[in-house]
Amino acid sequence: MASVASVVKAFSFFSLRPHEPANLNPTMLWLSLHFPHLALEIYARALSDPALPLLVSDIQGGRQRVHARNRAAANAGVVPGMALGAAEALLTEHRVLPRDEAAEYAALERLAAWAGQFTSTVSLVPPQGLLLEIGGSLLLFGGLEALRTRLQEELRALGYRAAGGVAPVPLAALLLARAGHSTPVLEKAALPAVLGGFPLERLGLDEAAVAALRGMGLRQLAECLRLPRHGLARRLGPDVLAHLLRIVGELPDPRAAYVSPPEFRSRLVLPAEVDSTEALLFATRRLLLELTGYLRARGAGVSLMQLSLGHRGCPASRLELGLLTPTRDTNHLLMLLRTRLEPFTLPAPVDELVLETSQLTALPDENRMLFGEERTPQTQGDQLLDTLRARLGADAVHGCHVVADHRPERAWAHCAPGSAVDSPVPSVRRPLWLLDSPEPLEEVNGLPCRGGKLHLLGGPERIETGWWDEGVTRDYFVAEDRQHAKLWIFREHRNRRWFLHGFFG
Amino acid sequence: MNTARPFFHTVPTGDDVLALPAPSAPAQHVPGLETLLQRPDVWRGRARTPQSGFVPTGHPALDEHLPGGGWPVGALTELFPVREGIGELALLMPALAMLSQGERWIAWIGAPHCPYAPALAAAGVRLTRLLLVQPRAARDRLWATEQALRSGACAAVLAWPDRPDERALRRLQLAAEEGGAIGFLFRPERAARNASPAALRLTLTPGDSELVVQVLKCRGGWSRGPVHLPRHHTETRPKSANEREREKSC
């Protein structure tokens, strides 16, 4: 077998010069995140109320059993591995959720996309692990301890708990994380000492390999590494030996970097149906945090996103959100969704949330901005427009501009806010208030009245135009009523009727 | 022009009254003053002035009457016009024209009619800074006003809220402080009787070709007699060709 020969050759190459670094960049440092509770957390993170007992069930040997449970269920005496029926007997109100390995994998992928904000190299180690190469980003995040604290806090905000391990080689970092060994190992030379005492079961080997090594009377990694490697390779196959050597960094261990998809989509199943806005926003916030991490990783902002609320037994409600300025500000997005959700009437309780985005736009990195996210009048103005539009609808928010038309009601028009161009100012006197449509005035002896006779102060101004569509022939006057309000009135030429058209407010 | 002026142009403002003289005398002459002022039960006039400045109204006679010499920024100003068409908007135009030269919005929320663009432009307001918001539901007017005041994106917010109670007004006042906006609330005259946290409250009544502005309340000052603003001053009137020429040459 060619691979056997090449590994043996590689091995002999290294064994000749054991202290030579194995093709590793000396500044590389790997941080592994291990998510031991992923099966539970994909459900539990959607729930704001931790008091509801949750059970995740799987089928083993044809029997339903408890695969994972939350603290509320554990307090009632439920332990993993217990028959589901027995566990349910211990609980009154609770939820049983099927183990969903596909959803766990999807969650791990989204975590990888989110983790891209900390490093350019993230790789997936299913079912429960991630590897982050952090050698290059330590300085940026203010050192290992600062990075770890930040990861821990942000993961908690996402609803995940992770164990971390740090080592100069990926496999060692992974094993340290799984073992809950949180002291970072920074030197490759220290790896055999730290990991040497690990039992065979903790080395990430398959059961057959563990059994074979045990059959040889071995218990720990250190004992394996002391054996002549030629013989080990022959007896166990080259893969097992290569695995053992990768743990201590004697063989290169290239990892495929995860590449996040060009569009974001995240689905959250709510373990208990929800109909309160606050509970929905709690779950939505967790999705938004995933989204903004993903956006930071891609150096992008979002300008269009969609939240679907799934209901049992009726079609999903869809909320679409368009933004003027692309953003990745979690609080702003949450506030916009809040303004959309609050007046929204749910047709039925919600059992699933899906957040999707298209239209990503490049957005510069905040790290390059000295004082964090910039809040210029421009972005503040756009954020206000987004907020108002989200709640009131786009047709309730306008700007206005002057139109070159002699008909007063057509001498202006709505436009997008901020888009009006400076135009020539009319040289005639105009009122500050214009009525939506002219209001007929009472008449006494052909003279206009409004709570008494109107006193004409100025006019007439003949406006005669628009014969090509809606012809207008009017004589406009400035009038004052008895309470000193100044009005803008006109007499229609056609029927000699008087109308009120505006106020000199 | 029968503009009534106060007798004393040198009436000290509230600040001057309470300001301590410069400590030319040795400090032991006022023992314990600082300690006294630290006491929580001692109330000091003008202890809290959150507003960040004043914008001249553009009417010198009115500016003289207002404690800061203009519209208070970062605060609410309530206007109680007895009816529409008496020059209630024209009163604000000089300030709005000035504010519209900046980057921030001038928001109109729930206006009773269309603010007429040609007249606004003639008054010198840059239309590109106008933000017209017409919420369908009455309760959304209050919400939109608060958002606009708080956002920091509005230089001025003109709002016609639907019967706000004192709590709602307090929220708007806080929002204006936070966003540094001038909040002009247009309210029916009968609402003037109720208490309000607004920094400035003015009733507007028409006189014979004038607008009579009476200060009901102003933070950091006291109400004096009414101000009579001639109507042609407050009104937007097209500039004559002469005036325009003069402006161009300036």
Side-chain angles (χ1 to χ4, degrees):
Chain A
M1 263 162 76
S3 64
V4 178
S6 65
V7 169
V8 171
K9 222 156 119 197
F11 154 65
S12 52
F13 172 72
F14 289 121
S15 66
L16 287 173
R17 290 184 290 175
H19 298 297
E20 199 73 6
N23 195 21
L24 273 172
N25 181 339
T27 63
M28 269 202 170
L29 194 61
W30 293 85
L31 185 145
S32 170
L33 294 170
H34 174 61
F35 300 91
H37 310 293
L38 201 57
L40 173 73
E41 280 165 345
I42 57 162
Y43 295 111
R45 63 195 292 260
L47 204 63
S48 54
D49 171 22
L52 179 71
L54 297 180
L55 306 177
V56 177
S57 70
D58 63 0
I59 295 175
Q60 204 122 79
R63 279 175 63 237
Q64 274 206 310
R65 41 155 239 160
V66 175
H67 177 78
R69 84 289 193 228
N70 68 354
R71 193 176 297 275
N75 289 344
V78 178
V79 286
M82 200 179 227
L84 186 62
E88 287 196 88
L90 293 172
L91 300 164
T92 50
E93 213 206 329
H94 65 281
R95 294 286 183 285
V96 180
L97 304 148
R99 168 131 200 241
D100 188 345
E101 280 168 278
E104 287 168 37
Y105 186 78
L108 199 63
E109 273 191 312
R110 292 198 310 267
L111 278 165
W114 167 87
Q117 61 185 307
F118 300 105
T119 165
S120 55
T121 315
V122 181
S123 53
L124 236 51
V125 193
Q128 293 175 327
L130 286 184
L131 274 169
L132 282 64
E133 199 287 302
I134 54 164
S137 32
L138 273 186
L139 209 59
L140 186 63
F141 291 97
L144 193 55
E145 203 42 55
L147 177 62
R148 214 156 53 165
T149 317
R150 182 158 164 198
L151 276 169
Q152 216 158 26
E153 277 169 13
E154 296 199 11
L155 282 170
R156 198 178 302 134
L158 283 173
Y160 291 111
R161 280 169 297 165
V166 177
V169 290
L171 194 50
L174 211 59
L175 297 181
L176 290 172
R178 282 187 201 157
H181 185 103
S182 59
T183 317
V185 179
L186 300 176
E187 296 296 325
K188 207 164 59 136
L191 285 175
V194 177
L195 288 152
F198 271 42
L200 298 177
E201 290 78 7
R202 290 247 184 118
L203 298 180
L205 292 164
D206 59 31
E207 278 176 37
V210 174
L213 288 167
R214 276 209 176 282
M216 293 162 68
L218 302 169
R219 284 161 300 144
Q220 296 176 338
L221 176 66
E223 293 170 1
C224 302
L225 292 175
R226 269 200 294 272
L227 291 179
R229 291 167 190 189
H230 254 100
L232 211 55
R234 214 176 305 118
R235 288 177 73 164
L236 299 168
D239 295 343
V240 174
L241 176 62
H243 184 90
L244 295 176
L245 292 178
R246 282 189 182 118
I247 295 176
V248 287
E250 288 190 26
L251 264 193
D253 188 1
R255 297 274 165 172
Y258 172 77
V259 181
S260 62
E263 290 184 350
F264 178 88
R265 184 176 190 279
S266 182
R267 174 170 166 264
L268 200 52
V269 174
L270 303 176
E273 290 188 340
V274 155
D275 54 6
S276 89
T277 312
E278 286 311 314
L280 275 179
L281 285 169
F282 176 87
T284 305
R285 180 160 183 274
R286 299 219 141 146
L287 289 178
L288 283 176
L289 286 169
E290 275 179 31
L291 170 66
T292 49
Y294 159 87
L295 290 171
R296 263 196 293 279
R298 292 186 75 92
V302 64
S303 47
L304 189 65
M305 61 186 220
Q306 196 177 56
L307 180 70
S308 321
L309 313 169
H311 312 287
R312 192 177 300 157
C314 69
S317 316
R318 285 169 172 274
L319 296 179
E320 199 155 273
L321 199 69
L323 291 111
L324 282 174
T325 349
T327 184
R328 52 166 173 260
D329 180 338
T330 313
N331 292 334
H332 180 55
L333 290 170
L334 186 68
M335 200 266 298
L336 290 179
L337 283 174
R338 176 186 286 275
T339 58
R340 286 295 294 274
L341 270 172
E342 271 171 355
F344 187 76
T345 321
L346 293 170
V350 179
D351 62 0
E352 181 190 86
L353 290 175
V354 180
L355 185 70
E356 282 168 289
T357 66
S358 39
Q359 286 196 21
L360 300 189
T361 325
L363 202 65
D365 197 344
E366 300 103 330
N367 291 321
R368 290 191 209 129
M369 296 185 192
L370 203 52
F371 300 106
E373 198 83 27
E374 245 177 274
R375 299 258 302 160
T376 59
Q378 173 68 32
T379 60
Q380 282 179 343
D382 284 350
Q383 289 195 348
L384 174 65
L385 290 187
D386 287 338
T387 311
L388 294 172
R389 281 184 175 143
R391 168 126 164 201
L392 309 173
D395 55 342
V397 184
H398 298 285
C400 65
H401 66 120
V402 174
V403 179
D405 194 310
H406 289 291
R407 286 163 291 184
E409 58 269 49
R410 302 212 181 179
W412 76 288
H414 278 150
C415 61
S419 71
V421 285
D422 290 331
S423 40
V425 171
S427 55
V428 281
R429 195 171 169 200
R430 289 289 176 260
L432 282 164
W433 287 131
L434 194 76
L435 300 189
D436 285 331
S437 50
E439 183 188 307
L441 287 169
E442 292 164 39
E443 284 168 45
V444 176
N445 300 331
L447 291 173
C449 291
R450 193 168 190 264
K453 212 177 119 199
L454 294 182
H455 179 53
L456 300 186
L457 299 176
E461 179 194 348
R462 170 61 63 93
I463 293 179
E464 184 170 10
T465 184
W467 51 267
W468 54 89
D469 50 9
E470 206 180 292
V472 153
T473 308
R474 298 169 180 168
D475 286 323
Y476 275 89
F477 295 86
V478 179
E480 193 177 52
D481 68 10
R482 290 167 79 168
Q483 287 87 32
H484 302 292
K486 281 195 186 152
L487 317 174
W488 202 43
I489 64 172
F490 68 83
R491 183 160 58 174
E492 186 70 69
H493 195 260
R494 193 160 24 92
N495 54 15
R496 317 291 293 169
R497 291 286 312 277
W498 288 93
F499 292 88
L500 172 66
H501 207 178
F503 293 103
F504 289 87
Chain B
M1 197 170 110
N2 60 346
T3 306
R5 290 188 171 277
F7 275 110
F8 300 102
H9 287 278
T10 52
V11 170
T13 65
D15 248 345
D16 299 328
V17 171
L18 286 176
L20 292 169
S24 53
Q28 59 263 33
H29 282 256
V30 280
L33 180 61
E34 278 309 312
T35 3
L36 195 67
L37 290 174
Q38 299 289 311
R39 285 179 50 163
D41 54 342
V42 171
W43 182 87
R44 293 178 80 180
R46 305 209 55 182
R48 183 172 154 274
T49 45
Q51 68 245 29
S52 39
F54 297 87
V55 168
T57 65
H59 313 288
L62 182 60
D63 285 346
E64 255 175 51
H65 250 62
L66 301 177
W71 304 118
V73 175
L76 288 187
T77 294
E78 278 183 289
L79 300 163
F80 303 96
V82 291
R83 48 208 305 267
E84 49 191 4
I86 58 169
E88 71 279 11
L89 279 186
L91 178 69
L92 308 186
M93 284 304 138
L96 296 188
M98 199 204 90
L99 291 171
S100 71
Q101 304 304 316
E103 286 296 295
R104 300 198 291 163
W105 298 115
I106 292 175
W108 300 56
I109 294 161
H113 310 289
C114 310
Y116 194 41
L120 290 165
V125 176
R126 266 175 76 218
L127 298 181
T128 181
R129 292 290 97 214
L130 289 194
L131 182 62
L132 310 179
V133 186
Q134 269 330 107
R136 269 176 295 275
R139 68 189 161 91
D140 281 344
R141 265 190 244 166
L142 214 53
W143 174 84
T145 308
E146 187 179 340
Q147 295 297 324
L149 285 170
R150 175 161 292 138
S151 67
C154 296
V157 178
L158 283 66
W160 287 259
D162 186 56
R163 277 172 292 176
D165 55 18
E166 204 189 331
R167 209 173 121 254
L169 290 172
R170 202 165 293 284
R171 284 184 68 106
L172 295 183
Q173 168 67 33
L174 287 173
E177 281 172 28
E178 205 174 302
I182 310 183
F184 293 110
L185 299 187
F186 286 88
R187 306 192 58 203
E189 197 199 1
R190 57 186 143 73
R193 283 179 304 222
N194 306 335
S196 159
L200 182 62
R201 311 184 84 208
L202 306 174
T203 56
L204 311 177
T205 36
D208 198 13
S209 73
E210 62 182 16
L211 177 68
V212 183
V213 180
Q214 171 72 53
V215 179
L216 290 182
K217 169 193 172 183
C218 58
R219 193 190 284 160
W222 52 87
S223 171
R224 289 181 264 163
V227 189
H228 297 255
L229 301 175
R231 197 63 204 272
H232 66 87
H233 272 191
T234 62
E235 224 151 63
T236 69
R237 108 201 113 86
K239 291 184 175 105
S240 66
N242 253 345
E243 278 176 300
R244 260 177 280 152
E245 270 312 303
R246 225 179 301 139
E247 267 175 24
K248 257 182 220 162
S249 61
C250 279

